[in-house]
Amino acid sequence: MKTKIYLQTYLQAYLLWGFVASLSLFSSCEFLDEKPKTFITEQNFFKTEADAESALNVVYRGPQDRYGVALWGGAHWFEWATDECYLTTANSHAYHNEPSYLKTNFNASSAMPEGFWSHTFNHVKDVNFYLQQVNNVPMSDPKKDIGKAQARAIRALLYFDAVQIFGDLPLILTPETESKVLNAMSRTNKVDVYKSIETDLLYAMSILPNLWTGNDQGRISKGAAAGLLAKVYITWAGHPIKDETKYDEGRKLLENLIDKQEYGSQYALFSSYEEAFLEANIPGKESVWTINFTKGTFGQGSDMHTNNAPLELYYASGMGLTRGGGWSNGLPTEGFYNSYEANDDRFTFSWWTSTADIPSEYADVSPAISFSAPHCKKFREPTPNNNSLRNGIDHYVLRYADLLLLYAEVLNELGQDSKYDYINMVRNRAGLPGLSAMSQEQFREHMYNERAWELAFEGNRRFDLMRWGNYVERLKMWNTQAGPNAIKGKHELWPIPQREIDINSNLSQNEAY
């Protein structure tokens, strides 16, 4: 049985830390500096080992919120305005429209950058208080260390997302609540942020086990930390920093994980693409790092399919969310949808255009309901699920196929022909022939599509395009919604929220916003 790492409710999480929820990291309200006298606080909560475990569950909430209901569309924040994904034109919410269309109204006052900034630093706050207060709990040092290792890996993930979206940003590594201190912080150079991410992940790798078993399946392992660090190094080597010495650092980690199996022999591809997304198989052999979800309780279910599911089902009489309807928040661009090679199993499993495509589930829907555009079905349950409850299918932060493709990519950058061994594992699983005899540039160009076919809508695409340095170019080629509005030198990053700059004059703005 896999463990589900979560808190019972949002309320418990906030009571645990004794903080007033706020959209802003920095606040000029002096009452926040006072020490609560009757509330449960981070100082008086940590008394037992069970308390420490509950606090660690709060920390695990960070990556769960990334793909759950909390961020209201977070499943597509880094898929919209890419070469593979756009937002339905039926969506009239500015919150979603502004980052998807990239018009001038996507600016420092937009709600989504502010929401992601708040998401990042609220969860970093949780990590930092856990790391401090767990030292005071009467439990063994090894147990404390293994909790710290998980927390630091999550902090690394939070900062890795944020540094790719905002560039330079405040680096907060200790508990801090005093508004005067927070309001004086400036942005840390992105290279130093990467160094901090590296330090956290190296620490996690030194402590975490290769494998969790029983009810602890789903926790962060040594391989998860190593896999994320490999991706960090490969991103660090790409745009905009271009420290190409990091390619070999990434190669070494992937060699240890994939070839030498130093972090365990449990990693492998499922025999079919479809198997990798079945609820019973996650976490499983393709899971390097997964996020746990539970269906049926607000805030604990995955929002991946609800975001992707067709509005046509939602609006159909008597169906709504109860029969698999959703918001059509992520639709494949025409260029991407038509880019697949013939007989690619990933295409068949990933996309549907009407209820007739799944007759076993929608045989009672007559006539069949057609959709205005193809929709992604790879995150759906095997029966028409009630999307108001979201679903319990765990989501991948890192999938083994992702790491195989990264390994092939970095070997290509280093001029090694063994790159074909790893990309062809992924292609062969999809029913496609292997590649061979390509120049470095040809292989690089092919990888732009291969990663999209394999990882479509999983939350990686913007980050891939950014490190390749072709974000705006691919956007203009493939995305008719955002492409005409995209400006090179501007839209590679999101703006620093104006609210934060108004509170803290030490924060600078990204170029062109």
Side-chain angles (χ1 to χ4, degrees), residues 484-503:
N485 306 317
I487 300 172
K488 192 170 182 63
K490 176 181 179 178
H491 288 124
E492 289 86 351
L493 296 177
W494 282 6
I496 304 300
Q498 188 61 45
R499 173 177 175 146
E500 304 298 331
I501 294 175
D502 290 343
I503 293 171

Side-chain angles (χ1 to χ4, degrees), residues 17 71 80 141 145 223 241 267 283 294 321 364 397 401 474 505:
W17 299 130
L71 294 185
W80 289 326
D141 286 341
D145 290 342
I241 300 175
Y267 303 118
T294 299
L321 292 174
D364 59 332
V397 175
R474 295 279 295 194
S505 61

Side-chain angles (χ1 to χ4, degrees), residues 424-456:
N424 288 341
M425 290 182 195
V426 176
R427 287 178 58 80
N428 293 163
R429 196 263 295 268
L432 298 175
L435 303 178
S436 62
M438 302 174 77
S439 69
Q440 185 182 60
E441 183 57 33
Q442 287 173 329
F443 192 91
R444 191 179 291 142
E445 290 280 343
H446 178 86
M447 188 62 74
Y448 297 159
N449 287 343
E450 193 73 58
R451 281 187 63 83
W453 299 331
E454 179 65 30
L455 303 169

Side-chain angles (χ1 to χ4, degrees), residues 163 167-169 171 187-194 241:
V163 75
D168 301 349
L169 73 169
L171 184 61
R187 298 170 70 186
T188 301
N189 183 279
K190 65 181 73 68
V191 173
D192 291 324
V193 177
Y194 273 96
I241 300 175

Side-chain angles (χ1 to χ4, degrees), residues 300-450:
Q300 294 175 10
S302 170
D303 214 25
M304 293 298 293
H305 183 61
T306 310
N307 265 272
N308 283 295
L311 269 170
E312 287 83 359
L313 281 177
Y314 177 78
Y315 287 130
S317 178
M319 298 187 76
L321 292 174
T322 62
R323 287 297 303 274
W327 314 126
S328 297
N329 273 343
L331 299 173
T333 64
E334 183 178 2
F336 170 58
Y337 184 77
N338 293 325
S339 71
Y340 284 78
E341 296 178 26
N343 303 314
D344 190 329
D345 293 340
R346 297 170 295 194
F347 177 85
T348 303
F349 178 71
S350 295
W351 309 108
W352 60 329
T353 59
S354 79
T355 54
D357 292 344
I358 317 178
S360 60
E361 295 180 21
Y362 292 96
D364 59 332
V365 178
S366 181
I369 298 174
S370 296
F371 314 143
S372 61
H375 283 66
C376 182
K377 63 178 181 178
K378 68 194 279 188
F379 308 114
R380 47 174 271 282
E381 293 174 316
T383 57
N385 57 301
N386 184 340
N387 282 342
S388 64
L389 302 178
R390 279 39 184 187
N391 68 38
I393 299 177
D394 295 343
H395 189 71
Y396 296 101
V397 175
L398 284 175
R399 189 154 59 84
Y400 189 60
D402 182 357
L403 297 186
L404 289 172
L405 292 177
L406 283 174
Y407 197 16
E409 182 179 336
V410 75
L411 290 170
N412 181 60
E413 296 302 325
L414 295 171
Q416 299 183 25
D417 283 343
S418 54
K419 62 192 178 186
Y420 298 114
D421 297 340
Y422 306 99
I423 193 172
N424 288 341
M425 290 182 195
V426 176
R427 287 178 58 80
N428 293 163
R429 196 263 295 268
L432 298 175
L435 303 178
S436 62
M438 302 174 77
S439 69
Q440 185 182 60
E441 183 57 33
Q442 287 173 329
F443 192 91
R444 191 179 291 142
E445 290 280 343
H446 178 86
M447 188 62 74
Y448 297 159
N449 287 343
E450 193 73 58

